[in-house]
Structure formats: structure tokens, C-alpha cells
Amino acid sequence: MTMLLFSFSRTAADYRLAYTILLAHAAAMASLVGYLGVAPHFQTASRYADWSFSAITSMASLYTLRTVLKMLARREEHPTAALKAHMEKVLLGNDRLAHATHSTAIFVAMIFVISTVKSTIPAIVPFSWDESLIQLARVLFGGVDPHVLTSKVFGNVYSLVALNFVYNLWMVNFTLLMIVVAWIGNHELRLRYILTTLLTWFVGGNILALPLSSSGPCFVELLYRDDTYAPLMALLRNVDADTGMVGALIAQDILWEAYTGDGGAVSGISAMPSLHVAVAVIIACVTWQRGGVCRKIGLAYAVTIYIGSIQLGWHYATDGIIGGGIALLFWKPFADLTDWSLSRRLEPAEAVRGI
């Protein structure tokens, strides 16, 4: 137990900057919500936290089951003792359990904070930027609405179903990466990913999302009677009627019902900037560090999420550009900040005194 406590205490220094960003984020948003007297929506955050814990538990159970089956296949003479020794090596070797605990705690707390505030954004700052973002996207794409261009290639049944499938896996991919990053041996990459994600979600998900409050293409007709995206939404509904495989429409209906009603288990309409694209770009940055085919997969995933955000009616083209730009903006300097954070590690004697 003493060694475990020593491990948690010693590794805590590596996450000082991450905890500082997290606490600053929570304090800033709590102060804003309190000052404005707005009731925060905790239901979505609680649901996401439950999903995160379920995913962590499932992954741990699957890993344990896989280990047990491998030992049984090898016909270990003392399987219980072998399993105990293996788990001790995995959990305690290189302070892995301590790093994973810090990382997971930061991620879950971050999800709770960002989800709470995201669900509350329309109550804090009513939607006001949709028309400007529509016009800006049109200017950037030569006077043509971006979804018109993407529909020329991805407006068929097969492409829409494929885009919807990949896009709907975003939360799964983010959660899995959250778990994998917590346990990888490359500590520098783990810390860089954590710091980049924290600040991207803080700045993009709240600081910019509040003043740039917008609903997104799928809601503009319902809110403003603006039929710019009516053809796109009609296309999505027609494909869903034929296949039943455009789940984005179901999610959009859930968010709209939560917005117009008393809230729900999942709520929060906020288009600018796109955190879906931001996270996909961060994933691409992580895979880029791996090199080889991982780079191509990560890049293809980020591009697919960006196209899907437009073609499925979730985001204006500018939302993804800004979201991805923020992620790239923070990824580069956090290489140096990661080195700085790791250079502030506690020496063993100092860590022991802190227990």
C-alpha cells in the first residue's frame, strides 16, 4: 500500500498543469453560470459520465477475461497466482495504475464540466450567429453552400449511410482512446494528448462556443424558417426512409425535443466550433506520431468526420475549420509544455514526505 501511495503521489506532479487547466475551466464556468443565475443542466453530463465508467469497466473486464483465457490455454499450473502476478506487473509496473487513475479522473471530470456547460449554452447566450456562419461558409466556398458541394460526391445512399456510421462512432472512438491513452507506455504522448484535449475543450467548447452561440444547419429552419438546408434535410430523411440507417436524424430529434421541452437525458445544441472535428484532428495528431499506416488512418478519419459534420447537417463548414484549427494550434506548443510539466517531477524523497 505504501508503494502504491508513493506512486500516486510521485506521478501527481506530472499532471499539475492538467489539473490546473481542469480546475480553471470548472471554476470559470461555475462562476459564469452562478453570476447569470442560470440553472445548469447536469443530466447530460451524468449520462456521459455513466457511459465513461461503463466503458472503463467493460474494457477492464474484457482484458481480465482475455488474460485468464490465455493462461488457461497455456495450462498454468497455478493460474490464480499467475493472474495475480501478471496483474501486479501490469498495474504497478512503470506507475501504470497511478498514471491511468490520474488520466481517467481528468478525462471524466472534463467530460462532466464540458457537457454541463454545453447543455446550458442556449440558456446563457441565445443563438445569434447562424446567419453569419452560413454567409461566411458560402464566401469561403466560392459563393456556394458547402453541403451542395459535398452532396455531389456524398449525397448518395451508400455514402450517407457510411458517413453516418463513422460519425456515430465518434463517441465510441473518443471513449476508447481516453481509456487506451490512460494505459499506454508513452507517457509524453499521453500527457500531450491530455493537455491538448483539455485546452481545446475549454477554449473551443466553452470560451468560443458561448459568444459564437449557434444551432447548426439541422435546426435553422425550425428556429428561423430559413430553408437554406431544407434540401439537405429532405435528402437525409428520404435516405433514412429507405434504409432506416441515418441515425443522425434521431439524435437531432432528441436534441430538439430537449431544447424545446424541459431537457432530457441528452441535450445541448452548440454548433460553433465543432468539437467532433476538433477531437478527430487530435486523434489524427496522435496517430501521426505513430507513423506509417496509422498516419493515413488518422488523417482519413479526421477528413471523414469533417465531411460528415457538413453532409449530415450537424455543422456549418466554418465550425469544423475553427474546431480543427484550435486543436492544431494547441497540439504543437504542448510538446514543449509536456516537457516542462515532466521536468517538474517530484524527487522520490519529496514524494515520500508528501504521503
Side-chain angles (χ1 to χ4, degrees):
M1 180 60 72
T2 300
M3 289 187 64
L4 187 59
L5 291 174
F6 164 74
S7 178
F8 277 102
S9 179
R10 179 163 56 82
T11 55
D14 296 351
Y15 299 90
R16 286 172 176 172
L17 183 56
Y19 279 120
T20 299
I21 295 172
L22 175 63
L23 291 174
H25 185 180
M29 294 302 104
S31 298
L32 178 62
V33 170
Y35 174 76
L36 296 175
V38 177
H41 299 284
F42 292 113
Q43 282 182 292
T44 301
S46 299
R47 176 62 63 89
Y48 285 154
D50 288 342
W51 288 345
S52 298
F53 283 121
S54 296
I56 293 168
T57 302
S58 298
M59 289 287 285
S61 299
L62 288 173
Y63 179 80
T64 302
L65 177 61
R66 172 178 172 272
T67 303
V68 170
L69 291 176
K70 286 177 65 177
M71 289 182 174
L72 291 176
R74 291 199 304 263
R75 299 183 183 277
E76 292 280 353
E77 186 175 351
H78 302 289
T80 303
L83 177 63
K84 180 175 180 293
H86 174 80
M87 297 306 289
E88 286 180 350
K89 180 181 178 181
V90 169
L91 295 177
L92 302 181
N94 297 319
D95 297 321
R96 187 169 285 161
L97 177 60
H99 284 302
T101 302
H102 286 298
S103 302
T104 303
I106 290 168
F107 276 130
V108 173
M110 177 192 71
I111 291 171
F112 191 89
V113 173
I114 191 71
S115 300
T116 299
V117 178
K118 184 178 175 67
S119 299
T120 315
I121 285 177
I124 299 174
V125 182
F127 303 128
S128 59
W129 273 80
D130 289 276
E131 182 60 32
S132 297
L133 294 173
I134 291 173
Q135 295 298 330
L136 179 58
R138 194 173 289 158
V139 170
L140 291 175
F141 284 79
V144 181
D145 290 314
H147 72 274
V148 175
L149 299 177
T150 59
S151 291
K152 292 182 182 299
V153 179
F154 302 100
N156 58 81
V157 174
Y158 300 107
S159 295
L160 283 173
V161 170
L163 281 174
N164 180 82
F165 177 77
V166 175
Y167 203 86
N168 283 353
L169 285 177
W170 179 88
M171 178 57 75
V172 175
N173 291 331
F174 173 70
T175 305
L176 288 177
L177 187 61
M178 173 188 75
I179 296 170
V180 171
V181 164
W183 291 93
I184 60 174
N186 189 333
H187 183 39
E188 289 76 11
L189 182 59
R190 169 175 49 240
L191 195 56
R192 188 179 181 185
Y193 173 76
I194 291 172
L195 293 172
T196 302
T197 303
L198 277 172
L199 208 54
T200 297
W201 283 45
F202 184 10
V203 174
N206 287 164
I207 292 179
L208 289 181
L210 284 165
L212 298 176
S213 180
S214 54
S215 63
C218 55
F219 300 118
V220 291
E221 187 171 12
L222 295 169
L223 287 167
Y224 311 109
R225 299 186 184 280
D226 184 330
D227 63 356
T228 300
Y229 292 90
L232 174 63
M233 300 311 298
L235 171 63
L236 294 176
R237 283 191 287 271
N238 289 337
V239 172
D240 186 60
D242 292 337
T243 66
M245 298 180 69
V246 185
L249 294 174
I250 298 175
Q252 290 162 4
D253 287 343
I254 291 173
L255 291 177
W256 180 252
E257 290 174 5
Y259 173 74
T260 56
D262 296 326
V266 177
S267 62
I269 297 176
S270 177
M272 167 62 93
S274 171
L275 289 185
H276 277 77
V277 175
V279 168
V281 169
I282 295 174
I283 291 175
C285 289
V286 172
T287 57
W288 193 267
Q289 300 298 115
R290 303 284 295 177
V293 70
C294 290
R295 289 185 174 183
K296 296 178 181 179
I297 293 174
L299 183 60
Y301 178 71
V303 172
T304 301
I305 292 297
Y306 178 62
I307 294 173
S309 72
I310 298 170
Q311 189 61 42
L312 296 172
W314 283 113
H315 288 282
Y316 306 111
T318 47
D319 301 345
I321 294 172
I322 299 299
I326 292 171
L328 290 174
L329 179 67
F330 290 135
W331 178 258
K332 181 64 175 177
F334 268 127
D336 297 328
L337 284 173
T338 297
D339 292 338
W340 175 86
S341 184
L342 293 177
S343 71
R344 311 293 295 178
R345 280 178 172 171
L346 293 174
E347 294 298 326
E350 184 180 353
V352 172
R353 287 197 298 270
I355 297 178

